[in-house]
Amino acid sequence: MTSPARSAMQPSLPLPTRAVLLIGIILLVWLAYSGLIGWRTTDVEWWFVPWLEHIIQHGARASLQAPLQVQIEGVNGFANYSPPYLYLLVLASAASDWVSPFLLVKLVSVAGAFFCAGCIYYLLRALASPGAALLGAAASLLIPSVVLNGPAWGQTDMVWSALAALSVAFALRERWAAMMLAFGMAVAFKLQAVFIAPFLLYMVLAYRVSPRYFPLPVLAYAAMMLPAWLAGRPAWSLATIYLEQAGAYRWLSMNAPNPWSFVQYTRLISYETGVLIGSVAAVLIALGFGALSIRWRRLQGADLLLLSVTVAAAMPYVLPKMHERYFFLADILAYALAVARPRPWTISAAIAIQLGSVAAYASHMLSFAMGKYLGALLIGAALVILLHHLRLALRPARRPASSSAIA
């Protein structure tokens, strides 16, 4: 599906200027990534490196046929990530004779950042010219949360978020099979990809997507688990990975920039009550986003991207048991919206979400305790902006249908 406003998005910059900007971005990426890739984090040293060393010592098959149990300095290094991440470590282990396990783990994360940039490019191409999309995608490598999540922290949120963003990109083009498959792959990589599910529910209802596409996410999930099953891991274990993870932590917030950080600090309610309230609220809000398709104007183009940003920010904002990194999908979608439709409010929302995420990262990486609370306020403000403009976009059009309500 091509946005009606796409012709208005042709870049005004001449080709030489764009080439200079692209070269400058590449140099900045090199400087930032090479400077931060040596940053030591507990996630990498206590978890990912031991997993990779286990793979190197025991081989791929032995490492995939059962959940890894690696003990390091009294820390239980149980590999509670889903098998697709372990597949990436298996691939990285091929270079273990030349590169240290620490650097290999970091390079996997850097590769994830570039994969994310590629998916952002494909998303932007639904709304912008090739030149604008290329510059926007390249510059996404310098988003603070991307730089911190990848080369600095060595985490993997770029991959599942990129696949979820790819699902949105396919939705903008009305490629329903690809949309469902990308969503299933994202969920197989990390459960937090379900944050985008209310957006997909809206697409299914508003665009009357055929039920024949509904099994595709399950098939994609199964396909992603197939190598681990062939290695000998039981199908039931692979199907219930996330059920096992659900009880891993008994905290309402893991430095997440959402209201549950305040609730946890003040001990207003018990853990069990918070999980119940937050889960019910999230389900109701998800159904509410889907219900927008019933009596409101059907969204198109950039208005759909606005909906995806709002959903990606709202779901981890109301859910308990969230980590500081779980707003990464909202980070990149808000950035894409600001690039595709640069307006004061889209830029303000993107900056607020980004600052909120970075503040929460600082709570973990720099022990800045106030970060998560400041982040909750910033992302809350961004949600107010997004919800206001989403309401405007959903109102019945009083002008030609080809006009975009996002302006």
Side-chain angles (χ1 to χ4, degrees), residues 101-190:
F102 173 85
L103 185 56
L104 286 175
V105 168
K106 287 297 193 81
L107 289 176
V108 167
S109 296
V110 170
F114 278 86
F115 174 68
C116 185
C119 292
I120 290 174
Y121 171 79
Y122 187 70
L123 174 60
L124 289 174
R125 279 294 290 119
L127 300 167
S129 66
L134 179 61
L135 282 176
S140 73
L141 291 167
L142 294 172
I143 298 175
S145 59
V146 173
V147 176
L148 292 175
N149 198 289
W153 197 336
Q155 267 292 348
T156 62
D157 298 279
M158 293 81 63
V159 179
W160 69 265
S161 297
L163 290 169
L166 194 61
S167 182
V168 174
F170 288 132
L172 294 177
R173 295 169 171 82
E174 298 184 13
R175 295 182 58 186
W176 309 129
M179 177 186 79
M180 294 294 194
L181 289 171
F183 174 64
M185 294 172 65
V187 172
F189 202 92
K190 204 166 183 66

Side-chain angles (χ1 to χ4, degrees), residues 11 65 139 234:
Q65 66 184 3

Side-chain angles (χ1 to χ4, degrees), residues 86-403:
L86 299 182
Y87 303 158
L88 298 181
L89 294 185
V90 169
L91 292 175
S93 68
S96 60
D97 289 340
W98 305 281
V99 184
S100 70
F102 173 85
L103 185 56
L104 286 175
V105 168
K106 287 297 193 81
L107 289 176
V108 167
S109 296
V110 170
F114 278 86
F115 174 68
C116 185
C119 292
I120 290 174
Y121 171 79
Y122 187 70
L123 174 60
L124 289 174
R125 279 294 290 119
L127 300 167
S129 66
L134 179 61
L135 282 176
S140 73
L141 291 167
L142 294 172
I143 298 175
S145 59
V146 173
V147 176
L148 292 175
N149 198 289
W153 197 336
Q155 267 292 348
T156 62
D157 298 279
M158 293 81 63
V159 179
W160 69 265
S161 297
L163 290 169
L166 194 61
S167 182
V168 174
F170 288 132
L172 294 177
R173 295 169 171 82
E174 298 184 13
R175 295 182 58 186
W176 309 129
M179 177 186 79
M180 294 294 194
L181 289 171
F183 174 64
M185 294 172 65
V187 172
F189 202 92
K190 204 166 183 66
L191 179 61
Q192 283 67 35
V194 298
F195 294 159
I196 204 64
F199 169 79
L200 300 184
L201 177 61
Y202 174 87
M203 296 302 299
V204 166
L205 297 176
Y207 284 80
R208 294 182 172 85
V209 176
S210 172
R212 72 174 182 270
Y213 297 113
F214 295 174
L216 293 181
V218 177
L219 294 177
Y221 180 94
M224 293 284 279
M225 300 298 163
L226 186 60
W229 179 74
L230 292 174
R233 188 162 177 178
W236 179 251
S237 173
L238 294 169
T240 59
I241 287 173
Y242 296 131
L243 292 178
E244 297 172 1
Q245 292 180 8
Y249 303 103
R250 290 182 58 82
W251 293 301
L252 290 175
S253 171
M254 299 280 289
N255 292 318
N258 66 17
W260 292 108
S261 289
F262 295 101
V263 173
Q264 181 167 274
Y265 177 76
T266 57
R267 300 182 180 179
L268 289 175
I269 55 178
S270 67
Y271 167 82
E272 291 78 7
T273 302
V275 170
L276 177 61
I277 293 174
S279 300
V280 171
V283 170
L284 292 176
I285 290 172
L287 293 175
F289 279 120
L292 294 176
S293 62
I294 297 175
R295 59 184 297 265
W296 298 91
R297 186 175 69 88
R298 190 171 78 171
L299 300 176
Q300 297 182 14
D303 292 334
L304 285 174
L305 182 54
L306 166 61
L307 175 61
S308 73
V309 177
T310 308
V311 166
M315 296 310 292
Y317 199 73
V318 300
L319 277 167
K321 295 174 66 69
M322 296 291 101
H323 286 251
E324 61 287 297
R325 311 184 318 273
Y326 290 173
F327 286 84
F328 191 89
L329 177 58
D331 293 343
I332 63 172
L333 290 178
Y335 169 80
L337 179 63
V339 171
R341 291 293 181 269
R343 306 286 187 270
W345 67 269
T346 60
I347 296 171
S348 297
I351 291 175
I353 292 174
Q354 185 60 218
L355 289 177
S357 286
V358 171
Y361 278 41
S363 291
H364 175 83
M365 302 179 76
L366 301 175
S367 299
F368 176 53
M370 290 297 295
K372 53 183 173 290
Y373 307 118
L374 294 173
L377 296 176
L378 286 164
I379 294 179
L383 274 169
V384 171
I385 296 171
L386 293 170
L387 288 168
H388 169 70
H389 286 275
L390 180 61
R391 181 180 63 85
L392 296 179
L394 286 164
R395 288 195 304 193
R398 296 176 180 269
R399 50 185 181 272
S402 62
S403 299

